[in-house]
Amino acid sequence: MTTYGRIEHHPVLGSLKERSSISFFFDEREFTAYESETVASALLANGVRTLRVQEETGAPRGIYCNIGHCYECRVTVNGVQGKRACLTLVESGMKITSGIQLPTPLQKGAVQR
């Protein structure tokens, strides 16, 4: 398993416990994770930084607070929209999709009545 971005040994906390690796899918690409990891930490460890785009502007969004307060890490998990990647544990075979830019109903400069 690639450990890109994953801390395997911390000088104070020690080494990671041995855990089984599992596979999951993000935007139809297969990745590996450790059991009991959150979706956010598994994606970060695999080098994924953009989890969705801002619905109106398309600006990239990623993990911000990583404790469930900000909702920046919203993804769709197994068809359920709005799941927070930082609070959702990854499961074997899980299908995750990023958020996309939505069509804007009004053109810039148009006056809404």
Side-chain angles (χ1 to χ4, degrees):
M1 179 174 170
T2 181
T3 59
Y4 177 88
R6 179 176 279 120
I7 297 171
E8 297 285 341
H9 178 78
H10 189 276
V12 175
L13 301 176
S15 296
L16 287 177
K17 294 178 185 173
E18 276 298 316
R19 295 179 283 175
S20 299
S21 65
I22 57 175
S23 64
F24 68 101
F25 297 88
F26 179 70
D27 287 342
E28 299 183 16
R29 290 180 47 209
E30 187 172 12
F31 292 98
T32 56
Y34 286 131
E35 287 181 328
S36 75
E37 261 185 334
T38 64
V39 169
S41 63
L43 289 171
L44 282 172
N46 282 284
V48 176
R49 299 292 181 262
T50 300
L51 302 184
R52 67 181 187 90
V53 296
Q54 203 276 338
E55 292 83 356
E56 185 178 326
T57 65
R61 296 289 192 243
I63 298 165
Y64 183 69
C65 74
N66 207 27
I67 57 172
H69 288 275
C70 72
Y71 290 83
E72 286 297 318
C73 64
R74 294 185 316 263
V75 292
T76 300
V77 177
N78 294 331
V80 179
Q81 294 179 332
K83 300 293 282 184
R84 288 174 282 181
C86 68
L87 298 179
T88 304
L89 295 180
V90 70
E91 297 174 358
S92 183
M94 183 178 268
K95 292 184 181 2
I96 305 160
T97 53
S98 59
I100 59 169
Q101 185 173 356
L102 300 174
T104 304
L106 299 175
Q107 297 294 325
K108 288 189 178 211
V111 177
Q112 185 177 8
R113 298 188 193 260

